[in-house]
Amino acid sequence: MYVSRPQPLIAGNWKMNGVGASLGEAYMIAGGLGDTTARVAICPPATLVQRLAEVLADSAVLVGGQDCHAEEAGAFTGDVSAAQLADAGAALVILGHSERRAGHGETDELVARKVSAALRAGLEPIICVGETLDQRKGGQALAVVTGQVRGSLPAELADKRFSVAYEPVWAIGTGLTPTTPEIEEVHRAIRATLTSMFGAAGSGVAILYGGSVKPSNAAEILHADEVGGALVGGASLKAADFLGIIQAV
Ligand code: PGA
């Protein structure tokens, strides 16, 4: 069975950056998309999801959350549920980002429960995986990443649209990136894991690269084998930089 190449996804992760005044950047991004073939998403902090969805209502740019709770509702002070993100206008949600795995103790098992919660709310998950520098130096990058893919992706993803983001922890916010062959090696291993888990449907999953993507390196990264888009942190905060990455698709 032939499964077509997934449509590229360029997603901006604003992390804990942005207030109401930042919505102007999103407005400029929406206005500058041109005729890109990529799907484009912005994932702002939870406080901005609803306002951003309103600003982008007439544009092709999708809105995403950066995390959600595994439960639908309840006594979870400070948390946001997938249903609440969807209600605020989000279409996607980033899950299992290394800053959540490291800073909030998120395990593969918890990430998988969050993915299930996102699917129940109709959100499209972007599931993050990636090795630390010590793991890479120890020759464990492929084992760590494919283990995270197996542990963080529940079976019910099989007939759903989702993407996997390979984000080497040591490349996030550092200006360092793996070489193109290193990126391709990991993306091929993720693809093999996806097809072994989901059969032919695994070929249709976009595998994003994340970690210090910027306009100057975007074209090479985005045209690498098995790279189906990018998850962009710092360079998504300024419209000119984010548009430069989108134009490199
Ligand atoms: P960066 O972040 O582009 O600032 O390296 C990427 C990410 O954490 O998603």
Side-chain angles (χ1 to χ4, degrees):
M1 181 176 135
Y2 174 77
V3 178
S4 61
R5 200 162 184 261
Q7 188 180 3
L9 172 64
I10 307 294
N13 173 10
W14 282 9
K15 308 192 180 185
M16 200 173 71
N17 297 293
V19 291
S22 321
L23 296 171
E25 294 295 323
Y27 194 74
M28 283 192 279
I29 291 164
L33 285 185
D35 57 1
T36 181
T37 55
R39 301 166 73 220
V40 176
I42 299 174
C43 305
T47 49
L48 289 180
V49 167
Q50 176 134 11
R51 276 182 283 172
L52 184 61
E54 284 163 7
V55 165
L56 298 176
D58 294 327
S59 86
V61 181
L62 302 164
V63 178
Q66 299 176 7
D67 175 46
C68 70
H69 198 277
E71 300 294 333
E72 265 149 58
F76 303 106
T77 302
D79 282 313
V80 175
S81 75
Q84 288 166 333
L85 287 174
D87 180 60
L92 303 98
V93 62
I94 299 168
L95 293 170
H97 191 284
S98 61
E99 287 154 17
R100 306 262 348 147
R101 290 177 185 266
H104 298 262
E106 293 197 7
T107 59
D108 289 342
E109 190 265 333
L110 177 61
V111 175
R113 287 177 52 223
K114 291 183 173 204
V115 172
S116 298
L119 295 178
R120 283 196 300 275
L123 295 178
E124 175 184 330
I126 301 171
I127 304 141
C128 302
V129 296
E131 83 286 358
T132 64
L133 191 55
D134 281 349
Q135 289 167 333
R136 174 157 285 271
K137 284 184 177 157
Q140 297 165 284
L142 294 183
V144 167
V145 167
T146 56
Q148 287 175 331
V149 171
R150 287 196 179 276
S152 308
L153 274 59
E156 62 261 37
L157 280 169
D159 58 351
K160 299 291 192 321
R161 190 176 206 177
F162 68 97
S163 50
V164 173
Y166 168 53
E167 300 204 306
V169 177
W170 51 274
I172 294 175
T174 58
L176 302 172
T177 51
T179 64
T180 299
E182 284 169 341
I183 293 174
E184 290 177 330
E185 181 185 35
V186 178
H187 280 232
R188 286 188 193 117
I190 293 172
R191 176 70 68 210
T193 307
L194 289 171
T195 50
S196 99
M197 292 173 77
F198 301 111
S203 310
V205 176
I207 305 173
L208 317 183
Y209 169 79
S212 297
V213 178
K214 45 189 189 251
S216 59
N217 63 15
E220 176 162 355
I221 291 172
L222 289 168
H223 293 122
D225 191 33
E226 294 291 8
V227 174
L231 183 55
V232 185
S236 71
L237 295 170
K238 289 273 165 258
D241 288 344
F242 197 47
L243 286 170
I245 293 167
I246 293 164
Q247 277 146 18
V249 169

